Amino acid sequence: MKNILYAICLVIPSLGFSQYTDVINSNRPGLSVGAYAVGKNVLQLEAGAFFEQQDHVLLNTQSNIWGGDISLRYGLLLEQLEINYEGTYQNQNIDFMNTATEATYTDFSRNRLGLKYLIYDRYKDPERSKPNLYSWKANYGFKFKNLIPSVALYGGATFNLGDNPYYVGDPTVSYRGMVATQSKLTPRFVLISNIAYDRIGTDFPELSYMISLSHAFRNPKWSAFVEHQGIDSDRYSDVLLRGGIAHLLNEELQVDVNMGASFKNTPSRVFISMGASYRFDFHQDAPKAIEDQNAGENGGPIQKNAMKKKEKVKKGSGAEDIELGPSKKQLRELKKKEKKKKDNGTIDF
């Protein structure tokens, strides 16, 4: 069999940039993988169900495919390191139109385990994330330097157990390597790219790439993405396009839906998927000696109304969960505070 049947789900990139974030950092609903890990001692479950229809013009076959996929991610030892299991199990019914016969294949189309490590964090320096107090456009506009990405390396193994009809003749274990990059183009747009070399050690190694662009809406609990994927192998080659939306229900739970299609008819592919991501958060910040802390990290000088009861923040906008940069009103307030400090000669310790 010449068709490799891939899962449809996995990855809307997180719009926050750090190893551990206040809200869930999910790889759903696309297939591309962000550069950042989930954070030390964070266990994350990402799962979904999909349906795909395939028609092959040359073989004169029609297929309906149902399946489910799962990804288990865990922040291991370091903030930058993540171990990840990815599995896709599916059932394919094929109608052979020339002979009026049919067949059913059931097995794993993806079954792999790997490690991802962030080797370069573009936003590790807090100065690069500091807002410009004098220009709203400077905070939200595109700059070419924003194309400089954070970079992660992935290494893993694919397991082919038993007589898998999708990978006939492949060894039990083959290998996979990947480079993942992630760029914050603006506070609302994130660009991810993946270049992977898969099934190393088999007769049909596979080279693939993915480019994904995601956007957070005015209510950042809603986001959308579009993704382009190219696959080159002697077993199966294709160009795919997919897109979808995700919604953050709370800090630990995200739901999503996506759909897509191929650009060829050997086979033609149309697919749809929906799923969810849930985070089990066991993360704890490492203690930091006071002599190693920077000025202002503990809140700065005590303000006059520091003990005054604050108004309860209304929920629903999503802005309290995801930081997309200061608004024009917030910039004006920050400028006033900075000016007041200079006039009073206040020094933060």
Side-chain angles (χ1 to χ4, degrees):
M1 182 177 179
K2 296 183 179 180
N3 302 333
I4 295 182
L5 306 175
Y6 272 75
I8 313 308
C9 322
L10 219 147
V11 184
I12 208 168
S14 170
L15 296 179
F17 280 82
S18 64
Q19 292 310 108
Y20 172 80
T21 55
D22 291 332
V23 297
I24 187 171
N25 169 12
S26 178
N27 275 337
R28 289 188 62 89
L31 278 177
S32 58
V33 175
Y36 291 87
V38 291
K40 185 178 177 181
N41 293 330
V42 172
L43 174 64
Q44 195 157 300
L45 170 65
E46 303 172 7
F50 65 87
F51 171 75
E52 177 173 341
Q53 184 176 1
Q54 290 188 7
D55 296 327
H56 201 296
V57 172
L58 296 181
L59 300 178
N60 198 17
T61 61
Q62 295 180 352
S63 298
N64 290 327
I65 304 169
W66 295 89
D69 61 77
I70 184 173
S71 174
L72 282 173
R73 305 169 61 191
Y74 182 71
L76 186 67
L77 301 177
L78 304 171
E79 292 290 338
Q80 300 89 347
L81 182 63
E82 172 183 302
I83 185 170
N84 186 2
Y85 168 75
E86 300 167 86
T88 300
Y89 196 79
Q90 64 184 41
N91 177 275
Q92 179 181 12
N93 296 317
I94 306 177
D95 291 328
F96 297 90
M97 310 305 292
N98 291 336
T99 60
T101 58
E102 62 179 41
T104 300
Y105 300 148
T106 303
D107 214 311
F108 283 95
S109 62
R110 180 179 58 174
N111 188 33
R112 61 186 180 225
L113 182 69
L115 291 171
K116 182 179 69 176
Y117 182 75
L118 183 74
I119 61 172
Y120 173 65
D121 185 355
R122 167 71 175 160
Y123 295 90
K124 186 175 182 180
D125 183 356
E127 290 298 317
R128 287 182 175 155
S129 300
K130 193 174 181 180
N132 187 323
L133 301 183
Y134 300 94
S135 174
W136 183 89
K137 185 177 180 180
N139 291 307
Y140 284 88
F142 170 76
K143 295 180 282 290
F144 281 102
K145 67 179 182 180
N146 293 346
L147 289 171
I148 301 174
S150 298
V151 181
L153 297 180
Y154 172 95
T158 295
F159 301 93
N160 189 35
L161 306 176
D163 297 325
N164 192 317
Y166 302 120
Y167 306 109
V168 177
D170 279 9
T172 302
V173 181
S174 59
Y175 303 97
R176 171 183 172 86
M178 181 178 68
V179 177
T181 70
Q182 186 164 333
S183 304
K184 183 179 180 182
L185 303 183
T186 72
R188 293 183 183 273
F189 282 95
V190 172
L191 179 68
I192 284 179
S193 67
N194 295 166
I195 299 177
Y197 194 49
D198 201 3
R199 303 197 172 275
I200 302 169
T202 72
D203 294 333
F204 303 100
E206 177 183 293
L207 181 65
S208 66
Y209 69 87
M210 275 181 281
I211 301 173
S212 177
L213 181 66
S214 66
H215 170 67
F217 294 108
R218 187 176 182 85
N219 176 354
K221 286 188 175 181
W222 288 93
S223 57
F225 87 106
V226 61
E227 184 175 272
H228 170 71
Q229 180 182 13
I231 304 169
D232 184 23
S233 171
D234 290 339
R235 175 184 272 143
Y236 169 67
S237 297
D238 211 338
V239 176
L240 305 170
L241 184 67
R242 61 178 62 88
I245 58 174
H247 178 58
L248 188 70
L249 294 177
N250 56 52
E251 292 182 352
E252 317 296 345
L253 179 62
Q254 174 189 289
V255 294
D256 59 75
V257 61
N258 80 90
M259 60 182 61
S262 64
F263 284 87
K264 55 185 287 188
N265 56 14
T266 54
S268 65
R269 301 176 58 185
V270 179
F271 41 79
I272 185 170
S273 167
M274 60 180 60
S277 305
Y278 187 80
R279 178 174 72 168
F280 300 89
D281 189 358
F282 307 110
H283 182 274
Q284 291 184 345
D285 291 328
K288 191 174 184 181
I290 192 168
E291 61 268 19
D292 295 331
Q293 299 179 21
N294 297 321
E297 282 191 347
N298 289 315
I302 298 175
Q303 301 299 318
K304 181 179 179 180
N305 297 323
M307 301 304 292
K308 185 177 179 180
K309 186 176 181 180
K310 296 181 180 179
E311 294 183 5
K312 188 175 181 181
V313 179
K314 294 182 179 179
K315 296 184 179 181
S317 68
E320 70 274 12
D321 294 322
I322 302 177
E323 180 58 60
L324 294 178
S327 64
K328 290 182 179 179
K329 182 178 179 181
Q330 290 171 332
L331 285 176
R332 289 195 296 268
E333 293 174 351
L334 288 171
K335 286 166 64 176
K336 289 179 181 178
K337 290 180 180 179
E338 287 292 321
K339 185 177 180 180
K340 188 176 180 181
K341 285 182 180 180
K342 291 179 181 179
D343 294 341
N344 296 335
T346 303
I347 300 177
D348 294 340
F349 294 96

